Amino acid sequence: MLLYRYFFCEWLYRDVNCGSYLERAAAWRFNQERRGYLPTYLWRWLMLLMSSYALGVLFERSLAMGYVAALFFCATLMSVIMVFLVACAWLGLKYL
């Protein structure tokens, strides 16, 4: 559970699609106040991206273990997607 909270940040935010107009506006303001936590999550995903890519290159080139390298490259791809999503959420909450 703690590892999930270390990498995923939706538990910090409220749903802006539920409730009346005033409740949704309050949830949006709450989420905008909490956007300062997103760069921390972005940094964590960038570190995971770089380390999984480095391990993939190590297993592919040095140790010639293609299947293990493919596992790390899949983790790299998922990290790229999460970096994009967290960066979009941060910019959206900052400028919208």
Side-chain angles (χ1 to χ4, degrees):
M1 184 65 172
L2 290 178
L3 187 62
Y4 176 79
R5 285 187 171 191
Y6 187 78
F7 283 108
F8 297 102
C9 58
E10 74 263 0
W11 62 276
L12 286 171
Y13 299 96
R14 294 184 183 160
D15 188 9
V16 295
N17 296 320
C18 296
S20 68
Y21 177 75
L22 292 176
E23 291 171 341
R24 289 185 306 213
W28 178 256
R29 284 191 306 273
F30 179 81
N31 292 345
Q32 282 184 326
E33 292 171 3
R34 292 261 176 131
R35 75 176 180 260
Y37 294 107
L38 287 174
T40 302
Y41 285 94
L42 185 64
W43 180 253
R44 290 174 184 169
W45 280 104
L46 282 171
M47 291 297 109
L48 185 65
L49 185 148
M50 291 188 290
S51 61
S52 63
Y53 182 75
L55 285 171
V57 169
L58 173 75
F59 278 102
E60 184 179 23
R61 300 221 175 146
S62 300
L63 303 174
M65 299 174 75
Y67 292 115
V68 178
L71 177 73
F72 285 111
F73 286 138
C74 286
T76 302
L77 180 61
M78 290 189 312
S79 298
V80 166
I81 293 168
M82 284 304 298
V83 163
F84 179 74
L85 288 174
V86 171
C88 285
W90 181 55
L91 292 172
L93 285 171
K94 187 174 183 179
Y95 293 114
L96 290 179

